[in-house]
């Protein structure tokens, strides 16, 4: 499906690895390690780099040629990570390669596979579109000012603190923090409509950002 238009914001979610069973992070883990779950990937997305990267294909794969499992996103170019967070503070990074239209964040593990991340209140997303960053919730957005073109960014998730932050990797400072209302375990979530994203997990929260 074509990249969606963004609307203005007017108002201020278990891992999937192995036999469909969730894999949740423990209460004190700070080093979430995940791969992208092929079973959730829309047919326009190819996984790469041992399932740590995702590439958008304009034509994609014929939907009838991929397994029609219930975990797969059917309408939008979305893929989820295979590890969940239900407590603690966690950090991962994303390298952006030739993409000008993408979303990164977290989503409830059982988010609808007929929608897109950012379309409802069960996902919390930072979106990049037309050379600008946005916070996105329930299909409405607010711009993030003074952020340039991305090459590598971080995401800092504080589950108990109900916060998701976009991080400047070079300066190791928070760019923007989104207040959240998690209802249960959440997984890393990604959507893109061109180019490639490469994830980097299994890294500690930067010392100066812990308990931010």
């Amino acid at each position: 499906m074509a990249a969606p238009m963004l609307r203005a914001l007017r108002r201020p979610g278990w891992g999937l690895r192995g036999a469909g069973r969730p894999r949740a992070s423990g209460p004190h883990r700070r080093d979430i390690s995940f791969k992208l779950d092929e079973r959730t990937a829309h047919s326009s997305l190819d996984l790469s780099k041992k399932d740590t990267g995702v590439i958008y294909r304009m034509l994609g794969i014929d939907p009838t040629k991929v397994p029609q499992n219930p975990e797969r996103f059917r309408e939008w170019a979305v893929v989820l990570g295979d590890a969940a967070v239900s407590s603690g503070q966690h950090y991962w990074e994303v390298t952006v390669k030739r993409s000008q239209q993408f979303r990164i964040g977290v989503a409830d593990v059982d988010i609808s596979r007929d929608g897109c991340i950012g379309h409802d209140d069960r996902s919390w997303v930072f979106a990049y579109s037309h050379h600008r960053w946005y916070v996105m919730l329930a299909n409405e957005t607010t711009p993030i000012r003074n952020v340039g073109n991305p090459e590598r960014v971080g995401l800092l998730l504080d589950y108990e603190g109900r916060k998701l932050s976009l991080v400047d990797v070079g300066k190791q400072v928070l760019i923007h923090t989104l207040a959240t209302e998690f209802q249960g375990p959440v997984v890393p979530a990604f959507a893109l409509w061109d180019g490639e994203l490469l994830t980097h997990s299994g890294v500690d929260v930067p010392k100066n950002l812990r308990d931010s």
Side-chain angles (χ1 to χ4, degrees):
M1 180 171 287
M5 298 297 291
L6 300 179
R7 298 167 54 193
L9 181 67
R10 295 188 295 273
R11 62 180 180 87
W14 304 59
L16 304 176
R17 179 178 295 173
R21 295 292 297 175
R23 180 173 65 88
S25 297
H28 302 297
R29 283 189 60 178
R30 291 176 174 267
D31 60 342
I32 181 175
S33 182
F34 65 88
K35 291 186 177 182
L36 302 176
D37 191 338
E38 191 279 333
R39 294 174 304 163
T40 69
H42 184 265
S43 59
S44 65
L45 302 178
D46 283 347
L47 302 191
S48 63
K49 309 291 185 181
K50 297 182 179 180
D51 294 344
T52 63
V54 57
I55 302 170
Y56 178 79
R57 304 294 187 189
M58 180 68 72
L59 297 179
I61 303 173
D62 183 342
T64 64
K65 303 298 184 182
V66 298
Q68 298 303 302
N69 49 284
E71 297 92 347
R72 192 175 305 282
F73 281 85
R74 293 175 282 273
E75 300 294 334
W76 296 89
V78 177
V79 62
L80 302 179
D82 69 354
V85 169
S86 57
S87 63
Q89 192 177 41
H90 305 270
Y91 177 76
W92 60 97
E93 296 178 353
V94 180
T95 296
V96 180
K97 296 184 176 182
R98 304 180 305 279
S99 183
Q100 297 298 317
Q101 293 266 19
F102 62 89
R103 299 175 187 176
I104 56 177
V106 298
D108 285 350
V109 66
D110 57 352
I111 187 173
S112 171
R113 277 18 180 202
D114 292 318
C116 186
I117 58 172
H119 278 188
D120 56 26
D121 59 1
R122 301 188 65 192
S123 57
W124 300 265
V125 170
F126 294 104
Y128 185 79
S129 178
H130 303 294
H131 307 287
R132 295 181 180 180
W133 281 97
Y134 302 85
V135 174
M136 191 167 191
L137 176 64
N139 207 30
E140 297 181 337
T141 64
T142 187
I144 303 174
R145 307 294 184 186
N146 302 318
V147 185
N149 291 340
E151 293 183 357
R152 185 160 171 157
V153 294
L155 287 175
L156 178 60
L157 171 63
D158 184 346
Y159 191 91
E160 283 85 5
R162 298 181 178 181
K163 296 184 293 185
L164 180 68
S165 299
L166 185 67
V167 177
D168 183 317
V169 171
K171 298 178 182 179
Q172 291 196 348
V173 297
L174 302 182
I175 298 171
H176 191 92
T177 296
L178 171 63
T180 65
E181 289 292 339
F182 300 130
Q183 302 300 315
V186 296
V187 291
F190 309 86
L192 72 161
W193 292 273
D194 64 356
E196 178 180 1
L197 301 178
L198 181 60
T199 66
H200 311 273
S201 64
V203 294
D204 288 336
V205 178
K207 291 183 178 179
N208 59 312
L209 297 181
R210 293 178 182 175
D211 303 317
S212 294

